[in-house]
Amino acid sequence: MMKKALMVLLVAAALLGSTAFAQDLKIDIQVDVTGTSRTNYSSFEGPVRYIAVDKDHFDGRTGASVKGSTHVFQTYRVDVLGKQVLPDSIRSSILYGVNGADTMKGDNLTVEKARSGEITVQFAHRGTAYRFVTDRNGKADVVNGTFQKRAIGTISGHDPQVISRDFSRNGTAATIQWDKVWDPRVSGGGAIEGSDKKTGNIVDDKADSGSMFYWRGALNVTFDRNVLKISGGLDAVKR
């Protein structure tokens, strides 16, 4: 815990020393959404020395990432007070690059590309649905773009997600009805079977307005032959 706290303090010191840095955080992700390819990877590099990974990937023997992307990226996800500085959907996308097919299937990772060019990435992880949508050129602006999340279910330990019947025909992630999830007319407060928890309303999945800094910029997103790629650089901006 002390080591992780020190990492976060170091990145905060680096970021708050200036109003902005040119492409402080560089991201490169490749995910075959079918889970059948072994070419998936996640790479990222930020302003803190050594807090980076290059072509990290899934280790089928251990069931984890080879280079520890899951905990290493936390340094760039929150500020020293634990407040969100980047959409969680981007953080999760990075982790899909270092996870196996079971995780993608369990989260019902779904990517669609419209004829007009917009790409929609959506999934449900530990009872929360996430969605981000690019513009027609495949750009995902982390400040001004469409990034949303919604509580639609729950989970107990490592058990499969239980999704509210408001959004799933049989209460599983596999049958999530995304059109209902992102329909604002379907209000929150619905029951989740076998739990005392309730569903939530649609909210923005973006940096906390009270965070010490936030990431600004647009990432390039492509989707071709079941392969999702996300890449680009983001600037750190002090509040």
Side-chain angles (χ1 to χ4, degrees):
M1 290 296 292
M2 290 296 294
K3 184 177 181 180
K4 291 182 180 179
L6 179 59
M7 289 180 180
V8 175
L9 287 171
L10 287 172
V11 74
L15 297 174
L16 295 178
S18 178
T19 301
F21 296 75
Q23 295 203 341
D24 293 292
L25 179 61
K26 296 178 181 179
I27 294 172
D28 182 20
I29 312 162
Q30 179 169 299
V31 180
D32 181 334
V33 299
T34 68
T36 60
S37 175
R38 296 189 178 185
T39 62
N40 294 351
Y41 67 82
S42 290
S43 298
F44 57 86
E45 180 181 3
V48 182
R49 192 178 183 186
Y50 303 129
I51 309 302
V53 298
D54 182 38
K55 295 290 181 70
D56 196 4
H57 57 279
F58 178 67
D59 184 346
R61 181 178 58 84
T62 65
S65 63
V66 173
K67 301 180 182 179
S69 290
T70 302
H71 66 270
V72 174
F73 192 74
Q74 284 291 95
T75 304
Y76 303 122
R77 176 178 169 260
V78 297
D79 67 10
V80 293
L81 300 178
K83 293 185 177 180
Q84 182 176 336
V85 297
L86 182 76
D88 276 335
S89 50
I90 293 299
R91 185 252 185 176
S92 293
S93 296
I94 287 174
L95 300 187
Y96 284 126
V98 294
N99 271 292
D102 288 347
T103 298
M104 296 180 213
K105 183 178 180 181
D107 289 357
N108 194 1
L109 174 61
T110 306
V111 184
E112 300 173 335
K113 183 174 182 178
R115 289 185 177 181
S116 53
E118 294 94 344
I119 297 172
T120 300
V121 179
Q122 51 195 345
F123 54 89
H125 184 67
R126 299 190 69 82
T128 299
Y130 297 89
R131 174 176 77 159
F132 70 89
V133 184
T134 73
D135 64 15
R136 294 186 175 186
N137 297 312
K139 298 286 187 180
D141 189 320
V142 299
V143 175
N144 300 310
T146 300
F147 289 83
Q148 299 170 306
K149 59 185 176 181
R150 183 176 203 172
I152 63 170
T154 188
I155 192 168
S156 177
H158 295 287
D159 295 335
Q161 298 183 84
V162 177
I163 307 298
S164 169
R165 298 299 178 96
D166 289 347
F167 306 110
S168 171
R169 291 189 296 275
N170 62 5
T172 69
T175 62
I176 289 176
Q177 297 167 286
W178 295 115
D179 58 334
K180 290 186 177 181
V181 172
W182 307 118
D183 186 344
R185 295 172 298 181
V186 181
S187 60
I192 301 172
E193 187 177 2
S195 168
D196 58 357
K197 296 182 178 180
K198 303 293 183 179
T199 62
N201 292 319
I202 301 169
V203 297
D204 285 338
D205 174 29
K206 294 182 179 178
D208 189 314
S209 60
S211 61
M212 299 170 69
F213 72 96
Y214 63 94
W215 297 109
R216 178 181 64 191
L219 297 172
N220 302 307
V221 182
T222 63
F223 185 60
D224 183 49
R225 297 182 182 181
N226 295 318
V227 176
L228 171 69
K229 294 184 179 182
I230 304 174
S231 63
L234 303 175
D235 302 328
V237 181
K238 181 173 64 174
R239 295 286 185 187

